[in-house]
Amino acid sequence: MESLLWTPSAARVADAQITAFARWVQETRQVKVTESYDQLWDWSVGDIASFWDAIWDYYDVQSDGPRTPVLADAAMPGARWYPGTRLNHAEHVFRDRDPDALAIQFASERADGVQSWTWGRLHDETARIAGALRALGVRRGDRVAAYLPNAPETVAAFLATASLGAIWSSAAPEFGARAVADRFAQIEPKVLLAVDGYRYGGRDFDRRDTVAQLRAGIPSIDHTIMVSHLGLDLPDGALAWDGLGAEGDAPRDLGFTRVPFDHPLWILYSSGTTGLPKPIVHGHGGVLLEQLKVMHLHLDARPGDRVFWFTTTGWMMWNFLVGVLLTEASIVLFDGNPGTPSLDRLWDLAAEAGVTTFGTSASYLGACMKAGVEPQQDGRDLSRLHAIGSTGSPLSPDGFAWVYEQLGADTWLFSTSGGTDVVSAFVGGVPTLPVHRGELQARALGADLQAWSEDGEQLIGEVGELVLTQPLPSMPVGFWGDDDGSRYRDAYFQHYPGVWRHGDWIEITPRGTAVIHGRSDSTINRGGIRMGTSEIYRAVLAEPDVVDALVVDVPGRAGFDDGWMPLFLVLRDGVTLDDDLRITIKRRIRADCSPRHVPNAITQVAALPRTLSGKTLEVPVKRILMGEPPDRVAARDALANPEALDAFAALAAAPASA
């Protein structure tokens, strides 16, 4: 089957921002980088300090203090960038803005049509919130936690928080009380921003009880500010969002507190097999440089563009989308179920908002394909749409083909992969390169990404562990509360000392493209919401009849767009899994974790395979269910109960069932 699906025109290549950047680099840095993308990438990882300093100069980053050294220490973990500088991420978002220009468009299940915010309105709302937070005692370094939907007010609240040098953290309203508390309690926020409820799939969900649990369970919360989306009565003691600054003494001038390069900008969360979700801290400067690079050079966002990405505030793609505001493009937000009233909903939004770049998950594109959705049907005008972005999980080759069948040969489809850990993509779209079926176009500039064997040998044309052999500015500055750095080291640097192991299987092809083969660790991404298995286990093991549990996410299973997610249970003696217990467990996971992480199948097993030290073999079980022989994925003499593998080998040949 022909693999080449798209080649950019000569005019498109000439007009791309990455072309202008390469030409500028060659002229100002006296390095030869204009002949090919590979040449530019080689320079960007061959001299990473010079590359990132070129990004700084090209986009005129504003700061105080000396800019040298660029990279004071390149050792990982603990790389130190621009140690003498002070800046503010939000300052660059608002720099040189026309107050009458379009900043944000927004649609939701709660209202008809598309609403718009100008830069003037975004500025004034951000200033109003910043003034209110300041009046409530929020200062540099304080945490502001947001339990808010994907709406313009949330963007303004983030920018207000960042402008003060305070630290932002958010969770989507669909997260259950325990999942939110497990995140926010670790960072001890001073202020909680919350919504009274949200609408999803045509139903309204009251979140006031969850907010009450958070307020009662997190003693650090001094103030709660409530946004009224459903028009419900506010809880006692909560401040009304619309009333902030209404007394007239809140300043409308928006100032910016410049902070050290690595000062925390926000805290995101990622989970593994044990413990609470990891609170990942990213710095102002690292995020700023990474987003300036990726939004301009890889996304190619420019004046007049309208960039949409379907996400929730609990997924790093929300932070990614807000980063588009560092360019001259505007952004488009959507809050609700993309399948309500049908899967046409987001394509309708693309037409109504004049979207030029349509970002979504691979699972949404797969669902549209299987449902027979025709994006350009019924006269829907998608004439402005020229790019489709896909992330969250690997987009299948058939998904690639479907996009070109439905949207035309001149569409740039870029599949990307990165993660919460670096709040960006380090392999994905390049507007000047061709698109091959089922393949990500290239490794991102400045990302020294490789596929490694178990022994640390670089692989080409073979599947290996995705590693980064040099630091990125947007790598975490650490985990919150991890004073000795042990959790951070264990998360990324334990497998290959001094080298970042991301937790994906990747293949770098001989032509420089990439294929992602799923997670090699235990993080589960469902519908854009990443959750560690430990959180699911806490919910499941709260059921008295459940003795042990194992859950995995198996990519590529026929009929399952987000991957097949089976849950295996060991039950108390004498208890047999029945429909009532299945329903109870699904309800508990839905309430405590998220509706996206309800398993596709629940199966009773006699025992779970464990190492001699007692660790459950999640990844080996996943590989067995993907078709690998048990003896290839685990050494039986290293297991406490090797016979437990046999049940999973038998299940691997059976059809998946809901």
Side-chain angles (χ1 to χ4, degrees):
M1 187 175 294
E2 175 61 40
S3 72
L4 183 62
L5 295 175
W6 179 78
T7 301
S9 66
R12 191 163 194 164
V13 171
D15 190 48
Q17 295 183 75
I18 197 171
T19 301
F21 174 74
R23 188 164 53 246
W24 176 86
V25 166
Q26 185 158 303
E27 293 171 354
T28 62
R29 269 43 177 185
Q30 287 78 51
V31 290
K32 199 171 184 178
V33 293
T34 59
E35 293 182 356
S36 68
Y37 178 79
D38 287 345
Q39 192 178 59
L40 181 61
W41 183 81
D42 285 343
W43 170 73
S44 76
V45 298
D47 189 351
I48 57 171
S50 294
F51 168 73
W52 288 106
D53 212 37
I55 294 292
W56 184 296
D57 277 344
Y58 195 68
Y59 295 107
D60 191 24
V61 172
Q62 302 295 297
S63 68
D64 298 322
R67 280 177 48 188
T68 56
V70 173
L71 183 54
D73 186 351
M76 296 188 293
R80 294 175 59 235
W81 297 88
Y82 294 98
T85 59
R86 301 170 68 84
L87 45 69
N88 188 286
H89 181 281
E91 179 179 357
H92 292 80
V93 170
F94 284 102
R95 184 173 56 173
D96 300 327
R97 295 300 185 183
D98 176 357
D100 296 323
L102 178 66
I104 300 174
Q105 292 182 92
F106 167 63
S108 74
E109 286 191 41
R110 296 182 297 105
D112 295 330
V114 177
Q115 303 171 39
S116 297
W117 279 32
T118 63
W119 275 103
R121 181 174 180 184
L122 180 59
H123 175 280
D124 290 348
E125 185 72 358
T126 301
R128 183 175 74 92
I129 300 167
L133 291 176
R134 190 182 298 109
L136 293 174
V138 174
R139 299 293 183 263
R140 170 182 156 179
D142 289 337
R143 278 75 66 204
V144 175
Y147 190 49
L148 294 174
N150 187 19
E153 293 89 345
T154 310
V155 176
F158 156 65
L159 294 171
T161 301
S163 75
L164 299 173
I167 305 167
W168 173 263
S169 193
S170 65
E174 63 195 74
F175 275 33
R178 177 184 291 180
V180 180
D182 283 349
R183 288 157 169 78
F184 289 168
Q186 294 185 73
I187 67 170
E188 298 180 316
K190 174 175 281 190
V191 174
L192 174 66
L193 310 176
V195 70
D196 61 343
Y198 69 98
R199 183 168 298 168
Y200 191 89
R203 293 177 55 202
D204 287 343
F205 295 86
D206 186 340
R207 275 325 201 202
R208 290 175 299 173
D209 285 346
T210 300
V211 173
Q213 292 178 53
L214 296 176
R215 296 173 70 187
I218 305 178
S220 64
I221 297 175
D222 291 335
H223 305 283
T224 300
I225 302 171
M226 296 285 289
V227 179
S228 178
H229 271 203
L230 299 184
L232 305 176
D233 293 335
L234 297 186
D236 290 340
L239 303 173
W241 180 280
D242 291 340
L244 296 178
E247 65 279 4
D249 59 357
R252 286 296 185 266
D253 292 333
L254 180 57
F256 302 98
T257 300
R258 290 186 176 177
V259 293
F261 187 90
D262 61 357
H263 180 79
L265 172 66
W266 54 45
I267 300 171
L268 307 183
Y269 303 89
S270 183
S271 299
T273 57
T274 59
L276 294 170
K278 299 186 291 290
I280 301 173
V281 182
H282 295 111
H284 271 251
V287 170
L288 176 63
L289 288 184
E290 174 63 27
Q291 291 190 336
L292 287 171
K293 177 205 75 176
V294 72
M295 303 310 171
H296 288 96
L297 305 183
H298 289 282
L299 200 64
D300 203 29
R302 58 184 63 227
D305 279 350
R306 300 179 179 185
V307 179
F308 165 77
W309 213 291
F310 177 73
T311 183
T312 71
T313 55
W315 187 18
M316 55 82 45
M317 289 308 299
W318 183 85
N319 305 71
F320 182 93
L321 180 59
V322 172
V324 174
L325 293 175
L326 289 164
T327 75
E328 294 299 314
S330 60
I331 62 174
V332 181
L333 312 177
F334 176 77
D335 184 54
N337 185 342
T340 300
S342 73
L343 287 169
D344 291 297
R345 178 65 186 98
L346 296 186
W347 302 111
D348 287 338
L349 173 61
E352 294 164 7
V355 168
T356 58
T357 298
F358 181 98
T360 187
S361 64
S363 60
Y364 176 77
L365 294 175
C368 287
M369 177 177 64
K370 292 175 182 178
V373 172
E374 298 178 9
Q376 300 194 80
Q377 69 179 352
D378 300 328
R380 188 182 290 125
D381 182 7
L382 298 178
S383 58
R384 297 198 63 191
L385 182 61
H386 62 76
I388 300 290
S390 172
T391 194
S393 59
L395 181 62
S396 70
D398 286 346
F400 273 76
W402 180 83
V403 168
Y404 282 95
E405 289 167 2
Q406 294 296 326
L407 295 168
D410 196 36
T411 302
W412 171 35
L413 168 62
F414 58 96
S415 180
T416 71
S417 183
T420 301
D421 321 79
V422 294
V423 74
S424 187
F426 35 56
V427 58
V430 179
T432 57
L433 292 180
V435 174
H436 291 268
R437 181 186 176 108
E439 300 176 11
L440 288 72
Q441 287 175 286
R443 290 171 282 190
L445 296 175
D448 196 356
L449 181 150
Q450 299 176 20
W452 274 21
S453 69
E454 186 69 22
D455 298 328
E457 296 182 1
Q458 185 175 356
L459 304 174
I460 299 294
E462 299 181 50
V463 178
E465 288 279 358
L466 190 162
V467 300
L468 291 169
T469 62
Q470 297 188 77
L472 277 176
S474 65
M475 283 178 175
V477 297
F479 294 163
W480 191 265
D482 181 29
D483 295 335
D484 64 359
S486 58
R487 290 187 74 194
Y488 184 40
R489 288 191 299 273
D490 290 347
Y492 308 113
F493 301 101
Q494 187 178 49
H495 200 77
Y496 304 109
V499 172
W500 173 289
R501 172 183 174 266
H502 189 63
D504 278 339
W505 282 309
I506 191 172
E507 175 186 355
I508 305 298
T509 73
R511 61 170 161 251
T513 60
V515 180
I516 300 292
H517 291 269
R519 297 292 294 175
S520 65
D521 69 5
S522 57
T523 304
I524 296 178
N525 188 330
R526 307 281 287 182
I529 297 176
R530 293 182 65 185
M531 192 161 289
T533 53
S534 60
E535 297 182 80
I536 298 171
Y537 295 149
R538 281 199 296 276
V540 172
L541 293 174
E543 182 60 34
D545 288 334
V546 178
V547 175
D548 207 354
L550 184 148
V551 65
V552 292
D553 188 27
V554 183
R557 193 81 172 214
F560 295 89
D561 299 321
D562 253 342
W564 180 53
M565 181 181 158
L567 171 66
F568 301 98
L569 303 178
V570 177
L571 301 180
R572 186 167 49 82
D573 288 345
V575 176
T576 301
L577 182 64
D578 57 19
D579 288 343
D580 287 342
L581 185 54
R582 283 191 176 93
I583 291 170
T584 297
I585 290 171
K586 288 183 177 182
R587 284 176 177 168
R588 189 180 290 274
I589 293 172
R590 182 182 296 273
D592 287 358
C593 301
S594 92
R596 313 287 175 85
H597 287 79
V598 174
N600 298 115
I602 303 178
T603 302
Q604 183 175 358
V605 294
L608 300 179
R610 292 185 178 275
T611 64
L612 294 173
S613 62
K615 184 178 179 180
T616 306
L617 272 66
E618 286 184 350
V619 173
V621 165
K622 176 178 178 175
R623 292 172 64 183
I624 290 170
L625 294 174
M626 292 173 66
E628 293 191 51
D631 291 338
R632 184 176 172 182
V633 303
R636 287 181 178 266
D637 58 2
L639 302 184
N641 54 347
E643 70 282 353
L645 290 175
D646 298 333
F648 294 94
L651 286 168
S657 58

